Amino acid sequence: MSATPLYIRSAAQISLQSPLSDDWLTSPRAVVGDYVRAVDPNFRDHLSGSSSRRMGLVLKRAVTVAQQVLSEAGLDRPEAIVVGTGLGCVESTEKFLEALCRTGETLLGPTHFMQSTHNTIASAIAIHTSCHGYNITFSHKAVSFDLALHDAALWLLSEGRTDAFVGAFDEVTPTYHVLLRRMGFVGRDGQVACGEAAAGFLLSTESDRALCRLLAQSVCRATGSGEAAERLSDFLSAHNLTAADIDVVVSGINGYAPHDEAYDQLCRYVCPQVPVVAYKQVFGECYSAPALGFYVACRLLQHDAIPHHLFSSAVSVAPIRPTHILYINHSQSTDYAFALLQRI
Amino acid sequence: MKEELIQKLKQEIIEVLNLEDLTPADIDADAPLFGEGLGLDSIDALELIVLLERNYGIKLKDAAEGKEVFKSVSVMADYIEAHRTL
Amino acid sequence: MSVCFPRIAVTGMGIVSALGRGKAATLDSLLSSRSGVAPMSVLDSVHTDLPVGEVKETTEALAEALGVSPSIPTTRSALLGLMAIDEALEQAALSPISLRETAFVSATTVGGMDQSERYYLDFLTGDERNDYIALHDVGACTDWMASRYGPWGYVASVSTACSSAANAIIHGARLIAAGECRRVIAGGTECLTRFHLNGFNTLLILDHRRSRPFSASRAGLNLGEGAAFLVLEDEQIALERGQSPLAYVTGWGNACDAYHQTATSADGEGPYLAMKQALERARLLPSDISYINAHGTGTPDNDRSEFAALQRLFGESLPPFSSTKPFTGHTTSASGSIESVICLLAMQHGFIPPNLSDGEMLSPSCHPVAELQRRQTLRHVMCNSFGFGGNDSALIFSFC
């Protein structure tokens, strides 16, 4: 990334924690069961019935989150909308697919089909905010958010623009939860609950009232943990940082040992002494969960202490007021994403 | 008889077009469905075409024909009475 | 802002569509004005009255042709993608294992839907089709293709409906322009499915005849399928390894119509902004463009608003333009890269493909290229791709 600094000016989330709030910091909702749907706000407070009548849940959440992000930043519309989603508009896709498979190729209506494409989310936000700017959607399993963040940062810097809305959104219907279990993405030994995620951020070159600074961000593919560790070391040294500068790692560990192993090895190789914050025990697992990890990192940089329920190990950690947070994420131990956030 | 069909149609329209904010009483059977009336659009017209076929066995030739049929709930009811096969 | 970007060279391209497998077959069809749109013969749908642009081999035959064992679960989009990537790598003189520092950016929307619509009820009831559940999503389609090559340095999937492949090329170009990487394989793939054929059909925008873009009698689009990928390189590394660029990616733009989920605005604001940005990025004037490959789906809505945008931007100097969708069908998420390859072939071989629609056009001032034009010098070519959600993209390829 170039020398132009980037900031996160506002952020909002809807998840299985209290929506559009930071109650999870002090009084997190208990996660009960292996599949927990998001707690939705009263959408009527945010969206008019006529503008949202065709929207599935993921769209209502996305537009609500975007609205919140923009209003916190004091903007009517962003200059770009960059979205990540692992599965897109699942509810609409399922309705159309199920009708197709059960009743055949007749008597199908257009509504669910037209809401089924992945970019319906980014386009609903654009229509809602009358944003004619750059609009793109990345859909690549659990690095969907990271690819979106990466592209948004490159766009801002290469186009010399000021701000972009970046978000990641995944709804998990009861049916898709079953499918995610069947393919072994959730429901494995020791794994946290399957959740849902909607998180958005205003990425900006302006620091006014910003939550934190995004020092650097990177996405890469690596073969094996050795190569991933090498990439992470290069990432840190490219920004003149060492492990000693990192106060906390925000990690995507989810309790399933083979999945967590890739995180453990990265930390062991690169920053073995640094305490690890685990957010999925609070927010659950889904393809857009990493956006909630990034959200957690942004918020922790505004607070003077990190609550104990966020630490991955029971070992007591001395109170930390983080200055630098390293966010790490991986998908299938193949695609890795790193971000460095700094207190301002 | 027609009154009953009008009530049923209103319910079906609310359901298929996700007009969650409305009750059948809010829909004036003689008011235009499109444009000024309920503010429906071309996608709603396509859903109504499917509704006619699925619930009443009426197959419209094209969207243009729908324009005439979907003038109001009352006009729709008349059309259904005259053409229904279900 | 004066920044010196590396020039982005195209050093390889591969294509498969209803026009056949590979550049030679595609070129032959274009030069003989032979359409690939025909009655349905591969897709298993009740709507046999709808003509489509199919790749005329079954999924099993595609797998066999590519040496993919029948025991390996796969999807039609992934196989089509593989065909196009193989050809692109060969032209760029890259071996499949020489991609460590290379990025792979692939676009699709249907992903593994061809198998999902076949096995969906099995997905719900038992474990025997779990391999196909895992192949359903967009990222899985990219990963399946990626796994046949590499290792890669970076892998990403873009999904923005019918502008997907154009946006994959834009993302790839941005990665190189920003110095994030020096070589990208970018493009898109999309097979026909009952899911989206029926979806488009519910919107009543499928023509029962061959589509007639920009004509007064146009009545919708024909769906098609296929894949195309480009090898993009920082010119320097291409020259260092002795590859002469086929052309350069010089301009790109993306904007959102922000009007309606499926309809387009009457004045074509999104398309206008996308094309304008592409010209600005390429530092070209409207009069510099030698040919525009229009999105031109043949739906009443798209063509009206695209032509309005073309008139707004180009005014009196509207260059020759045509839609090649009557050749290939609308290949949705792959159309941006398929039509990019058509543009590049046109530049290389000095021709302008015809619009294949005759009769009265949508307005007296609308004159798409009616007949094949040969012996043309195409220095700068624009390629348009617009999608659902008003996602509008334009690319400019230059040879100079």
Side-chain angles (χ1 to χ4, degrees), chain C residues 311-332:
Chain C
Q311 282 188 306
R312 277 174 73 191
L313 186 60
F314 290 92
E316 292 300 304
S317 59
L318 181 57
F321 69 98
S322 64
S323 163
T324 47
K325 288 188 171 70
F327 280 97
T328 57
H330 184 359
T331 56
T332 53

Side-chain angles (χ1 to χ4, degrees), chain A residues 44 48-50 52-54 60 106-112 114, chain B residues 16-21 39-41 43-44 46-47 50 53-54:
Chain A
R44 305 260 164 146
S48 75
S50 61
S52 66
R53 71 185 163 97
R54 289 197 191 110
K60 288 182 183 168
T106 51
L107 300 177
L108 298 164
T111 303
H112 297 307
M114 61 183 265
Chain B
V16 75
L17 304 185
N18 300 305
L19 301 168
E20 301 157 354
D21 292 343
L40 303 184
D41 65 14
I43 299 299
D44 297 308
L46 298 175
E47 288 290 356
V50 178
E53 188 175 351
R54 185 173 44 221

Side-chain angles (χ1 to χ4, degrees), chain C residues 189-203:
Chain C
T189 181
E190 195 117 293
C191 70
L192 278 165
T193 66
R194 277 182 289 134
F195 183 91
H196 73 288
L197 182 92
N198 278 282
F200 278 86
N201 199 37
T202 64
L203 290 163

Side-chain angles (χ1 to χ4, degrees), chain A residues 96 105 108 110 113-114 119 123 132 134-135 137-141 150-151 155 159 175-176 182 221 332, chain C residues 45-47 123-124 127 130 137 143 153 157 159 171 174 180 198 202 254 256-257 261 281 388 391:
Chain A
F96 195 77
E105 298 178 78
L108 298 164
F113 174 70
M114 61 183 265
N119 69 319
S123 106
H132 290 292
Y134 178 55
N135 191 292
T137 301
F138 290 86
S139 179
H140 205 110
K141 295 194 184 275
H150 184 60
D151 185 63
W155 181 84
E159 304 283 328
T175 301
Y176 221 99
R182 289 199 198 284
R221 178 160 281 208
Q332 307 174 104
Chain C
S45 163
V46 302
H47 299 296
F123 288 3
L124 303 180
D127 283 322
N130 287 0
D137 60 280
D143 283 342
S157 308
S159 191
H171 181 64
R174 177 170 296 123
E180 287 279 304
N198 278 282
T202 64
N254 168 279
C256 188
D257 206 33
Q261 179 52 25
R281 155 72 61 170
F388 270 8
N391 196 292

Side-chain angles (χ1 to χ4, degrees), chain C residues 2 18 21 61-62 66 95 98 106 136 141 160 229 239 257 299 336:
Chain C
S2 148
R21 181 175 173 181
L62 291 175
L66 286 159
S95 76
S98 60
S106 179
H136 170 81
C141 179
T160 59
F229 283 85
L239 295 177
D257 206 33
T299 65

Side-chain angles (χ1 to χ4, degrees), chain B residues 34-59:
Chain B
F34 289 82
E36 288 302 296
L38 290 180
L40 303 184
D41 65 14
S42 60
I43 299 299
D44 297 308
L46 298 175
E47 288 290 356
L48 292 181
I49 290 175
V50 178
L51 185 155
L52 282 190
E53 188 175 351
R54 185 173 44 221
N55 297 3
Y56 303 98
I58 299 172
K59 223 175 155 108

